[in-house]
């Protein structure tokens, strides 16, 4: 199947995309520490992929306490803003558009990554059945069990919402075209959504509306800082990841779609569950989601061009985000235009390890 629909333009909020091929946010863990600053490799990596309709840059923590992975970048210091400005300028010079993903990992973290060696934070003091990446004594990345979090106090929740607002201002000053709020994959926002991670008895716990409150307050703060036309959000309805299982959370998924539609965001990014061992989304769910959310929907999660074309033609999505395919194929859009074969991903290049995965894949 030719990628005819994928290659057509799309208006996404305030920006016009040349095509409907998005580069999904991909955690690469290659940033400069200390400081969590994007380096020269990041500038080249994103420039190579500027033919995407939209690049969503890797998850970027909004504060020092939001950090959950060694080697991940931040967007809370002036040094980081300057470094990201070089990345966005290189993408724009190559004709591309780029969004920054705003990230708080919550309990998916480790004391060694936190200021003063403190415990990470979460909605409740429940340890995640998951691991994260920290630095070994020799500087290499190793996987370790996440530490048990400390439950956030009410006033601290307000402080984190302010961190999201400040990070949005920093992203705008760094030259990003949009921001995407990371509300998926078992990180802090998704932890608030999940009754497995959130057993609070206050206004942020219990009912669907209460568990969704934090997500919606973050969205409202980010929109107030910029505007709805420059803000998107990624969620993982019915997903399984990082010790959170949402497979029975259909009511929450549709409630979020309905509430987010009212805010008229630039896009809703759906990370589908089957890439991580969850169920395959059926057409019934997709149709209901589309009814609740008439705006731009970006689908992601192990997509092929064929799957993307099928869902675009059915009207269930408006764009498709590709992840691992983009690591191996910086020229993905050109390959889709030519209906050319794709380079296979190399799993050992996904995290850390220098420049592997940036420049060494064969071009067309």
């Amino acid at each position: 199947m030719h990628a005819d629909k994928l290659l057509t333009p799309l208006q996404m909020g305030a920006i016009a995309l040349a095509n409907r091929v998005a580069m999904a946010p991909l955690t690469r863990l290659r940033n400069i520490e200390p400081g969590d600053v994007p380096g020269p490799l990041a500038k080249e990596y994103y420039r190579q992929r500027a033919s995407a309709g939209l690049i969503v840059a890797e998850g970027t923590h909004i504060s020092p306490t939001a950090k959950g992975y060694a080697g991940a970048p931040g967007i809370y210091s002036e040094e980081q803003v300057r470094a990201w400005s070089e990345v966005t300028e290189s993408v724009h010079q190559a004709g591309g558009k780029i969004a920054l993903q705003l990230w708080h990992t919550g309990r998916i973290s480790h004391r060694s990554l936190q200021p003063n060696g403190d415990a990470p934070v979460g909605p409740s003091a429940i340890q995640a059945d998951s691991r994260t990446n920290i630095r070994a004594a020799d500087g290499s990345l190793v996987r370790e069990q996440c530490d048990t979090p400390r439950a956030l106090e009410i006033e601290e929740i307000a402080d984190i919402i302010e961190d999201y607002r400040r990070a949005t201002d920093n992203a705008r000053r760094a030259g990003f075209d949009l921001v995407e709020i990371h509300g998926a994959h078992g990180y802090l926002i998704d932890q608030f959504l999940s009754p497995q991670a959130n057993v609070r008895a206050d206004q942020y716990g219990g009912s669907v509306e209460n568990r969704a409150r934090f997500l919606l307050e973050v969205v409202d703060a980010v929109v107030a800082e910029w505007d709805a036309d420059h803000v998107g959000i990624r969620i993982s309805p019915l997903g399984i990841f990082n010790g959170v299982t949402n497979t029975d959370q259909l009511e929450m998924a549709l409630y979020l779609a309905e509430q987010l539609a009212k805010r008229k965001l630039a896009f809703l990014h759906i990370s589908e569950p089957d890439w991580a061992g969850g169920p395959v989304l059926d057409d019934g769910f997709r149709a209901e989601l589309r009814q609740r959310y008439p705006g731009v929907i970006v689908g992601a999660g192990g997509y092929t061009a064929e799957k993307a074309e099928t869902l675009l033609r059915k009207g269930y999505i408006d764009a498709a985000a590709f992840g691992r395919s983009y690591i191996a194929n910086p020229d993905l859009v050109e390959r889709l235009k030519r209906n050319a074969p794709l380079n296979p991903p190399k799993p050992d290049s996904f995290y850390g390890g220098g420049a592997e995965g940036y420049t060494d894949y064969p071009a067309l």
Side-chain angles (χ1 to χ4, degrees):
M1 179 185 291
H2 288 277
D4 299 329
K5 185 73 170 174
L6 268 173
L7 299 174
T8 61
L10 173 67
Q11 189 69 33
M12 178 181 278
I15 66 172
L17 307 186
N19 57 66
R20 297 166 188 254
V21 181
M23 177 181 169
L26 294 158
T27 299
R28 306 310 304 278
L29 308 184
R30 289 166 172 163
N31 298 278
I32 299 169
E33 294 177 310
D36 304 334
V37 177
L41 278 177
K43 180 178 175 180
E44 177 64 8
Y45 171 66
Y46 288 115
R47 183 200 63 77
Q48 288 176 340
R49 291 155 176 82
S51 58
L54 178 69
I55 294 170
V56 183
E58 62 208 276
T60 302
H61 46 274
I62 60 171
S63 70
T65 56
K67 184 175 181 176
Y69 292 81
I75 189 63
Y76 55 85
S77 74
E78 287 303 312
E79 184 182 13
Q80 292 161 354
V81 171
R82 288 192 297 271
W84 277 121
S85 296
E86 294 186 12
V87 174
T88 59
E89 182 180 6
S90 70
V91 170
H92 292 152
Q93 287 178 346
K97 302 287 174 59
I98 184 167
L100 185 68
Q101 189 183 63
L102 305 179
W103 194 24
H104 195 306
T105 62
R107 67 178 187 169
I108 307 301
S109 189
H110 188 273
R111 286 179 181 271
S112 67
L113 302 170
Q114 292 292 308
N116 305 313
D118 292 338
V121 298
S124 302
I126 300 172
Q127 187 177 28
D129 182 15
S130 189
R131 298 187 297 165
T132 191
N133 293 72
I134 67 170
R135 293 286 178 197
D138 63 0
S140 63
L141 291 171
V142 295
R143 298 282 284 170
E144 289 289 340
Q145 171 65 43
C146 297
D147 278 319
T148 301
R150 175 180 60 79
L152 285 161
E153 302 291 340
I154 288 286
E155 59 271 19
E156 293 179 298
I157 294 174
D159 291 340
I160 290 175
I161 293 170
E162 172 63 14
D163 289 337
Y164 276 100
R165 185 207 62 77
R166 187 180 301 110
T168 301
D169 177 56
N170 288 343
R172 179 173 50 185
R173 292 192 298 114
F176 285 95
D177 298 288
L178 303 164
V179 293
E180 175 183 280
I181 299 164
H182 196 344
H185 300 165
Y187 298 115
L188 183 63
I189 290 175
D190 202 23
Q191 291 160 27
F192 270 89
L193 299 178
S194 170
Q196 295 173 316
N198 179 358
V199 294
R200 300 178 73 95
D202 58 20
Q203 64 264 42
Y204 291 97
S207 67
V208 165
E209 293 80 7
N210 280 358
R211 286 183 283 118
R213 187 184 307 277
F214 178 63
L215 178 152
L216 296 175
E217 288 181 348
V218 168
V219 169
D220 290 342
V222 170
V223 167
E225 178 57 39
W226 202 338
D227 57 49
D229 277 345
H230 289 90
V231 176
I233 186 167
R234 191 180 219 207
I235 60 173
S236 50
L238 314 184
I240 299 173
F241 200 67
N242 272 329
V244 166
T245 301
N246 293 327
T247 53
D248 60 348
Q249 293 294 301
L250 178 62
E251 182 184 4
M252 174 64 82
L254 297 178
Y255 174 76
L256 288 177
E258 199 168 66
Q259 293 301 310
L260 293 168
K262 295 177 182 178
R263 288 156 170 85
K264 301 184 186 304
L265 302 181
F267 64 93
L268 174 62
H269 189 172
I270 303 294
S271 179
E272 299 185 15
D274 51 326
W275 74 272
V280 176
L281 299 185
D282 60 28
D283 280 4
F285 175 79
R286 294 184 190 280
E288 183 69 17
L289 185 73
R290 173 52 83 190
Q291 182 179 358
R292 303 288 181 100
Y293 194 89
V296 172
I297 295 176
V298 180
Y303 267 55
T304 62
E306 290 76 16
K307 177 179 178 179
E309 279 291 314
T310 297
L311 294 177
L312 283 166
R313 292 176 185 183
K314 289 183 176 181
Y316 294 145
I317 63 172
D318 302 285
F322 297 85
R324 294 168 185 174
S325 296
Y326 247 124
I327 295 176
N329 300 273
D331 54 353
L332 180 62
V333 170
E334 184 62 27
R335 289 174 186 267
L336 294 175
K337 287 179 180 177
R338 298 190 190 184
N339 200 25
L342 302 185
N343 297 320
K346 301 175 184 177
D348 60 356
S349 76
F350 289 169
Y351 299 105
E356 176 79 11
Y358 283 83
T359 59
D360 68 338
Y361 287 95
L364 279 172

